[in-house]
Amino acid sequence: MEYQLNRIRIWIEDDYAALSKRAADIIKNQVDAMPNTVLGLATGSTPEGTYSELVRLYKTGAVDFSKVVSFNLDEYFPIKKTNEQSYYYFMRKHLFDNVNISEANTHIPNGEAEDRVAECDAYDKKIASYGGVDLQLLGIGGNGHIGFNEPSDVFVAGTHHIELDASTIEANARFFASTEDVPKHSLTMGIRTIMSAKRILLLASGSGKAEAIHKTIFGDITPKVPASVLQLHPDATIILDKEAARLIVGKLS
Ligand code: F6R
């Protein structure tokens, strides 16, 4: 089902597979219409299905990434590219190694940077040099974070270095041998960087995201729920499965 709430378009799909297919179709259509699209990409469990559907579409010849440019939202800091939990490694495994995107066109904040401030400044400049992101894919934290913009008293504008929330470290510990192994910091696009994207596509799956989704769509616009800022975006789409939509379905018509 599709709903329009103020400026946000909301799709509620039966399950994760349908959500992933819907998201991949939107990305495919964007790339078809504009082959040199600048894609903003996310990592984590949520977009894995979208990436495997895009790989499937690519293998059938339905989509061509040869001119696509990509910028990932974030990376742990510090982390080596060879670490299997780095987002650098994740993107290669789930997308880049399986489609015809040119490696030179892919960008991820450098978790090995010696000067993290310079790395963040350079990242924003590089995005601007490509004319900005055309379509930004986002997941959402159970605490409402987007990228690694954690709940805070202020919205931080550009790409920056941030200390991860205890709840985020806990949530991401499932990927590491132990909670202690989760890096405590990350480099992340800021809220201005994300909001500058021409289109935004946020995905959420599972009941653990329901409260964050409810606050994002119906709550106050506040840095305490970073995703709530999307209410101000002129072209934001949110795709949910039934579990993630469980607290909002009754309020949509
Ligand atoms: C990842 C990112 C994060 C995740 C969020 C949800 O690049 O920016 O904001 O999207 O933590 O993670 P999952 O999908 O693993 O629930």
Side-chain angles (χ1 to χ4, degrees), residues 194-207:
I194 293 171
M195 288 294 280
S196 302
K198 295 174 191 78
R199 294 174 74 191
I200 288 186
L201 182 58
L202 182 143
L203 314 180
S205 164
S207 157

Side-chain angles (χ1 to χ4, degrees), residues 180-191:
E180 288 67 52
D181 291 331
V182 184
K184 305 293 176 280
H185 297 82
S186 83
L187 306 181
T188 179
M189 282 187 193
I191 292 295

Side-chain angles (χ1 to χ4, degrees), residues 42-47 73-74 87 139-141 145-147 174 209:
T43 56
S45 303
T46 314
L73 275 169
D74 45 17
Y87 290 165
I140 184 170
H145 75 207
I146 46 176
R174 68 191 193 277
K209 301 292 171 70

Side-chain angles (χ1 to χ4, degrees), residues 94-127:
H94 291 283
L95 187 66
F96 298 159
D97 284 350
N98 310 318
V99 299
N100 65 338
I101 195 164
S102 146
E103 174 155 15
N105 286 350
T106 64
H107 306 89
I108 302 179
N110 182 5
E112 301 181 29
E114 276 180 25
D115 182 341
R116 61 198 191 194
V117 176
E119 171 64 19
C120 292
D121 288 350
Y123 202 67
D124 278 336
K125 288 197 179 101
K126 191 101 192 202
I127 295 173

Side-chain angles (χ1 to χ4, degrees), residues 110-177:
N110 182 5
E112 301 181 29
E114 276 180 25
D115 182 341
R116 61 198 191 194
V117 176
E119 171 64 19
C120 292
D121 288 350
Y123 202 67
D124 278 336
K125 288 197 179 101
K126 191 101 192 202
I127 295 173
S129 78
Y130 280 94
V133 169
D134 295 301
L135 175 61
Q136 176 68 56
L137 184 62
L138 296 175
I140 184 170
N143 62 3
H145 75 207
I146 46 176
F148 276 131
N149 292 274
E150 300 285 27
S152 150
D153 292 334
V154 288
F155 286 121
V156 180
T159 300
H160 59 286
H161 171 261
I162 191 168
E163 190 174 347
L164 297 177
D165 249 26
S167 67
T168 300
I169 291 173
E170 196 59 47
N172 290 6
R174 68 191 193 277
F175 299 114
F176 292 83

Side-chain angles (χ1 to χ4, degrees), residues 215-252:
K215 288 184 184 157
T216 294
I217 295 173
F218 289 105
D220 292 341
I221 298 169
T222 164
K224 298 201 181 313
V225 184
S228 63
V229 76
L230 299 180
Q231 292 178 38
L232 298 175
H233 196 278
D235 190 352
T237 298
I238 296 183
I239 311 180
L240 307 169
D241 60 12
K242 281 189 172 150
E243 286 79 31
R246 113 186 117 80
L247 298 176
I248 64 162
V249 271
K251 298 189 172 185
L252 298 169

